[in-house]
Amino acid sequence: MGKQGRFNHVEILIVEDSPTQLEQLRHLLEGNGYSVRPATNGKKALEEARRQPPTVIVSDIVMPEMDGYALCQAVRKDELLKDTPVVLLTSLSGPQDVIEALKCGADNFIRKPYDERHLLLRIENILTNRKLRATDTVKVGVELQLAGEKHFITAERQQILDLLISTYEQAVQMCGELKLREDQLDRANRVLSGIYAITKGLNQAQTEREVLDVAVELALQLPDVRAGWIFLRDDESHFRLATSRNLPSELATPEIMDGDCLCRRKVLSGEIERAANIEECERLKKAKINTLGLRSHVTLPFRFGDKVLGIMNLVGTQDVLFTEDDLRVLNGIGNQIGVALQRCRLHENLEELVRERTSALSESEERYRRLVNEITDGMFITDNEGTIQFANDALVRIHGFTSAEQLVGRRFVEFLDPSIPQEVARRFARVVDGKEEAGLVEVEIIREGGGSAFLEVRPAPIREGGRIVGARGTVQDITERRRAEEHSRVLQAQLLQAQKMESIGALAGGIAHDFNNILGIILGHASILERMAGKPDVLPASVEAITKAVTRGASLVRQLLTFSRKAETAIETVHINDLVEELVKMMRETFPKIITLRTDLADHLPAMSADVTQLHQALLNLAINGRDAMPEGGTLTFRTVTAKGEQLRHRFPDAHYDDYLSVTVVDTGTGMEEETQRRIFEPFFTTKGPGKGTGLGMSVVYGVVKSHEGILDFQSTPGKGSTFTLYFPVKAKEVVQEQEKGKAWSGDVPGGTETILVVEDEEMLRELVGAVLSSKGYKVIVAEDGVEAIAQYDAHASDIALVLCDNGLPRLDGVGLVKALKQKQRDLKFIMASGYIDARKRGEIIRAGVTEFTSKPYAANELLWRIRQVLDRR
């Protein structure tokens, strides 16, 4: 009867808190015919046993809630369960485990990890002896002394006997395992000693032959290795026997050792990449004679990088020569054989390689020397003191010498022109010493035998171990180039002077033409006034004509200043759409009706900072040019939009700001030829007929745009029209002071009785201003320069309430006069008058204490209003 029949009614309760171990034990017992009930701790096991008593209980000891000892004690105290055999699974860490098992009444114990066969046999024995245990219930008391402590045990005699037998069996088993471990350790030590010997021998080998012999001979010290041989790879698929040891004479023949075999094929195919056991050697089978018991071998491929260099086979008498652990260690030997073999091959070829390289180096040096000496640029090497260590032929010629020996050993700075500034000479010395880096240095030297040369030196430091040890570089003789550049500069200066004179001539001619016209109008109407003194009805027309002529002259001056970018600017916040709409509204009333005006204005545009007068003038000039280009009628369009500086910079590198506002003026007129486009911004250049333009319009537009850091772009096609686009920057976070708008100088201006000191060097203007002021009741004291003004002030200091002075005075200018009088009377009031004051001079005047300005030519009402405002201000 088999186990399946014998134990059909045997039920084993297994108690294990580890799910994995519980399942393993259950699988083992059920597989051998036992009925199994599981429990995960002692408490659950006791409940399960009381519910249905099992045949045997097999329990782990260490468990939660109730351990194995407590479970066994509870079973022994339970009348229903007290005769149930209990087997404890323990690590048997010491005698104390046996004492605890006796105390709790365990029948047997099995050491973890258990041998499955041993566990099944122990359970079978327990089941067989159940009847004997039932009849032999004699309890005995035993006193034991362990680890200095006494233990008195009361247990059944059979229990004590079973525990002692199981303890003995476990001890025997552990001794066997220990002996096996000792044998394994001894073998591992022998393997490691052999590997160490091989490694040491490979490191000392100097030739390929030494590497191969050392590897095979020392490999024989490895356990169970009886013989060995090495195949070296000749090409992609062929090997040759390189060396062997301890081969029987029947094996050491070409017929046996030559040709293909299993290990070679597996290595070449990549199936064997590491050390591997070959259980049946084809070569040993081929021998068919006495091979001294040699049966299997280990194939150990050795490589350098990805390339297989050869195979070492180690042969033994056992079926499997090495364990997997041994094979992992042997892999290191294969790698070391490959490295040592490659090292020795390189070493063996090194002498020949050195000879070849030395010869090649000599030839290379000769070619390099010829190349260096044939190039036209000088080449040098210096030490860290600037002393020349090497100079090619070109550098020798540049310095006026005949051989390199005349340069080598001398310092570069010895040849510098003494007139070179000391700072330049010191920097050049540091550069050629390698102590300072510079992309290019230009110097002048004195050549041997007289004369000088301009050199362009490109040095670079030489570093060794992070330390600068000198410099190397090239030298180019740029004497002829410098002479050509100097000649070119002279010619350019002459050309620029000629262009300036031409421009000045055009400017003078234009100014003379326009001012002669203006003066002609004034003189003509003055003559009329003189002749028609007795006819009052003629006076208003002549006065109006003279006023318009003077205004026209003042406008011409303003355009000249704007063109030259010297006009005073009044920066304020400008909303460009408002300005364009105001301008278009004015043009609808003044432009011919055959001109169609259109606007395309973007919404929500940001405000910009600008001089509204200049901006108005620029747009008006563009509009007038567009109007004049459409004599038969057409369309004039104004367009506004925002633009990004990043996009503009692709065409205009000067677009430095992030955001711009653009105003575009488009006409459908005659357009411009290429020559006209080229000269469009020249002052006084015009394509209009006589009397129809000054030629300053586009120059003014250009000046306005540039004074606002803007960009001007235009396109024009003959017969189709022109498009002008003005880009103005939107400056973030700029604080703009609003200028006074809508000043009304018209109407009756109140006068006064105060005393005013008028300082003006132009006699007619001085008399004119005096007459205007006197007509309004003011007392007037006049002076023609600053020195006379001081004298007049000293004579009338207590009476003078205001000083009206010109800026450009002889002997002592306006600023000097203000400073002198402010020292005498700190709160004295001033108005500074001038046809033009630049920004720097204006700042100096303000710092001197003047805050009020008026422009020339004087407008009587404006001047009177300004004087009244200053006098009334506290």
Side-chain angles (χ1 to χ4, degrees):
M1 180 181 295
K3 289 182 182 180
Q4 200 74 13
R6 291 168 56 194
F7 304 126
N8 281 342
H9 302 293
V10 174
E11 187 174 55
I12 301 177
L13 176 62
I14 57 176
V15 191
E16 175 63 69
D17 62 328
S18 169
T20 303
Q21 295 184 29
L22 177 66
E23 189 59 34
Q24 289 177 346
L25 183 55
R26 179 176 183 172
H27 179 74
L28 174 64
L29 295 176
E30 288 181 346
N32 282 272
Y34 295 108
S35 177
V36 176
R37 277 190 291 154
T40 56
N41 57 54
K43 185 176 179 180
K44 292 181 179 179
L46 186 60
E47 294 173 354
E48 187 66 26
R50 285 172 176 168
R51 184 180 64 81
Q52 181 178 340
T55 309
V56 179
I57 297 175
V58 178
S59 174
D60 189 17
I61 293 178
V62 180
M63 295 182 296
E65 296 193 52
M66 178 183 285
D67 62 13
Y69 295 135
L71 171 62
C72 188
Q73 289 176 345
V75 168
R76 294 290 173 249
K77 292 178 182 179
D78 192 294
E79 285 297 324
L80 181 64
L81 303 174
K82 64 182 181 179
D83 294 328
T84 304
V86 178
V87 179
L88 296 179
L89 300 177
T90 177
S91 62
L92 195 60
S93 59
Q96 189 65 35
D97 290 342
V98 179
I99 298 299
E100 293 296 332
L102 287 170
K103 284 182 178 181
C104 70
D107 294 273
N108 216 318
F109 66 82
I110 297 175
R111 184 173 57 89
K112 281 185 173 182
Y114 51 78
D115 179 84
E116 293 182 354
R117 183 180 56 80
H118 184 70
L119 172 64
L120 294 171
L121 183 61
R122 185 64 55 81
I123 292 175
E124 186 175 344
N125 289 338
I126 290 174
L127 294 173
T128 303
N129 296 330
R130 272 188 304 174
K131 292 182 179 180
L132 178 63
R133 292 286 302 273
T135 58
D136 185 6
T137 58
V138 178
K139 291 190 176 182
V140 296
V142 180
E143 184 177 81
L144 301 175
Q145 186 167 349
L146 292 173
E149 295 184 4
K150 291 183 179 180
H151 300 272
F152 188 80
I153 305 299
T154 301
E156 294 179 1
R157 183 171 53 190
Q158 186 64 37
Q159 177 201 2
I160 295 173
L161 183 60
D162 285 348
L163 279 174
L164 289 177
I165 291 173
S166 65
T167 301
Y168 175 75
E169 289 177 348
Q170 294 292 341
V172 171
Q173 182 182 1
M174 290 177 67
C175 287
E177 292 176 357
L178 183 60
K179 181 64 171 62
L180 179 61
R181 295 290 175 82
E182 287 177 352
D183 292 343
Q184 291 174 345
L185 182 60
D186 178 65
R187 190 177 190 282
N189 286 333
R190 289 169 60 197
V191 170
L192 290 176
S193 296
I195 290 174
Y196 174 75
I198 294 172
T199 301
K200 184 177 179 181
L202 291 175
N203 288 336
Q204 295 174 349
Q206 298 297 316
T207 66
E208 179 179 302
R209 171 53 56 187
E210 289 181 10
V211 169
L212 301 177
D213 290 344
V214 163
V216 176
E217 286 178 5
L218 296 180
L220 297 180
Q221 299 179 12
L222 297 173
D224 302 322
V225 176
R226 297 291 179 266
W229 64 83
I230 290 179
F231 290 123
L232 282 184
R233 189 176 183 182
D234 282 338
D235 51 35
E236 291 300 317
S237 59
H238 293 87
F239 290 84
R240 61 179 172 86
L241 180 65
T243 187
S244 64
R245 291 293 185 277
N246 289 1
L247 286 184
S249 57
E250 292 82 358
L251 283 175
T253 63
E255 293 79 8
I256 301 298
M257 299 306 294
D258 289 347
D260 197 12
C261 69
L262 179 63
C263 60
R264 287 187 185 181
R265 291 194 298 273
K266 288 191 174 184
V267 169
L268 291 177
S269 67
E271 186 176 346
I272 295 180
E273 294 184 347
R274 306 168 66 84
N277 285 309
I278 303 296
E279 297 181 12
E280 293 293 336
C281 177
E282 291 181 343
R283 300 193 189 281
L284 297 177
K285 289 182 178 180
K286 282 169 60 177
K288 298 181 180 178
I289 51 177
N290 182 21
T291 58
L292 302 180
L294 301 179
R295 299 177 56 189
S296 63
H297 67 74
V298 165
T299 291
L300 183 64
F302 48 90
R303 292 177 167 81
F304 185 78
D306 295 331
K307 183 179 180 181
V308 176
L309 301 181
I311 302 170
M312 181 166 71
N313 286 341
L314 303 178
V315 190
T317 58
Q318 300 182 14
D319 292 337
V320 178
L321 197 57
F322 287 102
T323 66
E324 288 299 320
D325 291 338
D326 294 339
L327 294 178
R328 281 192 289 271
V329 177
L330 286 173
N331 275 323
I333 295 297
N335 294 335
Q336 292 185 48
I337 294 174
V339 172
L341 190 63
Q342 189 69 12
R343 171 176 55 80
C344 290
R345 286 176 174 176
L346 291 175
H347 181 74
E348 290 172 355
N349 294 330
L350 182 60
E351 186 174 346
E352 179 63 27
L353 185 62
V354 168
R355 284 195 297 269
E356 293 175 0
R357 292 291 175 86
T358 302
S359 175
L361 183 60
S362 298
E363 295 176 2
S364 176
E365 286 179 351
E366 181 59 29
R367 287 196 300 270
Y368 177 74
R369 187 178 295 107
R370 288 198 302 268
L371 175 64
V372 166
N373 286 322
E374 287 173 0
I375 62 176
T376 57
D377 286 353
M379 298 183 68
F380 68 88
I381 297 176
T382 66
D383 61 16
N384 60 358
E385 298 297 327
T387 303
I388 299 173
Q389 304 295 311
F390 167 79
N392 70 340
D393 290 351
L395 190 63
V396 172
R397 291 192 299 271
I398 288 171
H399 281 77
F401 291 112
T402 57
S403 70
E405 287 73 16
Q406 295 172 286
L407 270 177
V408 173
R410 299 178 67 177
R411 301 185 69 223
F412 259 120
V413 293
E414 297 178 29
F415 305 103
L416 294 183
D417 189 324
S419 64
I420 289 180
Q422 288 298 310
E423 180 181 349
V424 175
R426 282 194 295 270
R427 180 170 179 268
F428 177 72
R430 290 183 60 80
V431 167
V432 294
D433 292 353
K435 297 173 183 175
E436 181 177 329
E437 293 194 35
L440 183 147
V441 180
E442 288 190 8
V443 292
E444 185 178 3
I445 65 165
I446 302 299
R447 290 167 51 88
E448 180 71 11
S452 64
F454 290 96
L455 306 183
E456 192 174 77
V457 184
R458 287 182 170 84
I462 300 174
R463 292 183 171 87
E464 290 182 1
R467 185 172 60 90
I468 295 177
V469 297
R472 60 171 170 262
T474 60
V475 178
Q476 185 178 9
D477 187 346
I478 59 170
T479 305
E480 292 302 322
R481 190 178 80 190
R482 286 288 293 271
R483 289 172 181 166
E485 289 174 352
E486 183 62 28
H487 181 64
S488 176
R489 278 195 293 271
V490 171
L491 291 177
Q492 287 178 355
Q494 292 174 347
L495 177 61
L496 181 61
Q497 182 65 19
Q499 290 175 338
K500 284 182 178 179
M501 294 305 297
E502 181 182 357
S503 180
I504 291 172
L507 179 63
I511 293 174
H513 175 270
D514 282 2
F515 268 102
N516 281 335
N517 289 340
I518 293 169
L519 294 175
I521 294 170
I522 295 173
L523 287 174
H525 282 279
S527 175
I528 292 172
L529 291 175
E530 185 178 9
R531 291 197 312 272
M532 302 296 180
K535 297 181 179 180
D537 57 323
V538 178
L539 294 178
S542 293
V543 169
E544 182 181 358
I546 292 173
T547 302
K548 288 182 178 179
V550 172
T551 302
R552 181 180 167 192
S555 175
L556 179 59
V557 171
R558 279 196 301 274
Q559 292 205 54
L560 284 169
L561 290 174
T562 301
F563 155 69
S564 63
R565 296 188 226 170
K566 289 189 176 182
E568 298 178 59
T569 57
I571 300 300
E572 58 185 289
T573 299
V574 177
H575 295 280
I576 193 67
N577 283 355
D578 294 345
L579 181 64
V580 171
E581 288 175 347
E582 178 184 339
L583 183 64
V584 171
K585 181 179 179 182
M586 181 268 290
M587 287 187 291
R588 292 190 193 280
E589 299 175 357
T590 58
F591 275 29
K593 299 305 179 182
I594 58 174
I595 303 293
T596 301
L597 296 172
R598 292 180 179 173
T599 58
D600 180 10
L601 310 180
D603 296 330
H604 309 298
L605 294 181
M608 60 178 285
S609 307
D611 184 316
V612 68
T613 302
Q614 290 189 10
L615 202 57
H616 188 279
Q617 181 70 58
L619 295 178
L620 181 60
N621 287 359
L622 290 176
I624 291 173
N625 282 352
R627 178 201 65 188
D628 294 344
M630 298 183 290
E632 305 299 326
T635 301
L636 188 62
T637 303
F638 291 81
R639 184 182 302 117
T640 61
V641 71
T642 57
K644 288 293 182 182
E646 182 180 1
Q647 297 173 345
L648 290 177
R649 278 190 286 275
H650 293 300
R651 293 184 56 212
F652 307 104
D654 292 338
H656 301 304
Y657 291 93
D658 293 332
D659 297 291
Y660 285 81
L661 282 176
S662 72
V663 185
T664 302
V665 181
V666 184
D667 68 65
T668 57
T670 56
M672 293 180 285
E673 301 289 344
E674 184 176 345
E675 177 64 19
T676 301
Q677 294 183 39
R678 189 178 62 82
R679 302 184 59 191
I680 188 173
F681 298 116
E682 290 183 13
F684 297 103
F685 172 75
T686 180
T687 58
K688 302 175 184 179
K692 293 185 178 180
T694 63
L696 287 175
M698 292 308 301
S699 298
V700 167
V701 172
Y702 182 84
V704 169
V705 172
K706 290 303 177 183
S707 68
H708 287 78
E709 300 179 88
I711 300 166
L712 177 56
D713 187 23
F714 75 94
Q715 297 87 35
S716 184
T717 303
K720 293 185 178 180
S722 301
T723 299
F724 288 85
T725 302
L726 283 55
Y727 296 95
F728 296 100
V730 179
K731 301 177 182 178
K733 300 182 180 179
E734 182 176 19
V735 178
V736 180
Q737 298 295 331
E738 290 284 352
Q739 302 297 314
E740 292 180 297
K741 294 183 178 179
K743 293 178 180 176
W745 307 116
S746 60
D748 188 26
V749 184
T753 60
E754 293 89 347
T755 299
I756 299 175
L757 174 59
V758 178
V759 189
E760 172 60 63
D761 61 325
E762 186 68 41
E763 181 179 3
M764 293 180 66
L765 279 178
R766 191 167 60 243
E767 292 176 354
L768 174 64
V769 173
V772 170
L773 296 180
S774 297
S775 69
K776 285 294 184 178
Y778 294 109
K779 298 181 179 63
V780 180
I781 301 173
V782 295
E784 66 179 14
D785 57 47
V787 174
E788 184 182 353
I790 293 175
Q792 290 283 31
Y793 176 83
D794 291 339
H796 306 280
S798 60
D799 298 328
I800 296 175
L802 172 70
V803 178
L804 172 64
C805 68
D806 188 23
N807 179 44
L809 296 172
R811 296 211 286 175
L812 180 65
D813 66 3
V815 178
L817 174 61
V818 171
K819 291 179 179 179
L821 295 184
K822 281 287 186 180
Q823 288 180 349
K824 297 175 180 289
Q825 183 180 340
R826 188 176 182 83
D827 60 350
L828 184 60
K829 296 178 179 180
F830 283 85
I831 296 178
M832 185 67 70
S834 177
Y836 164 69
I837 303 177
D838 64 30
R840 183 184 59 81
K841 192 71 173 179
R842 186 183 186 93
E844 184 181 359
I845 294 170
I846 291 173
R847 286 191 295 274
V850 177
T851 59
E852 294 296 332
F853 296 84
T854 188
S855 298
K856 290 183 176 180
Y858 296 117
N861 279 3
E862 178 183 350
L863 179 61
L864 290 170
W865 272 109
R866 181 77 69 184
I867 289 172
R868 192 66 260 163
Q869 284 180 336
V870 173
L871 289 173
D872 291 342
R873 186 180 302 150
R874 290 186 180 277

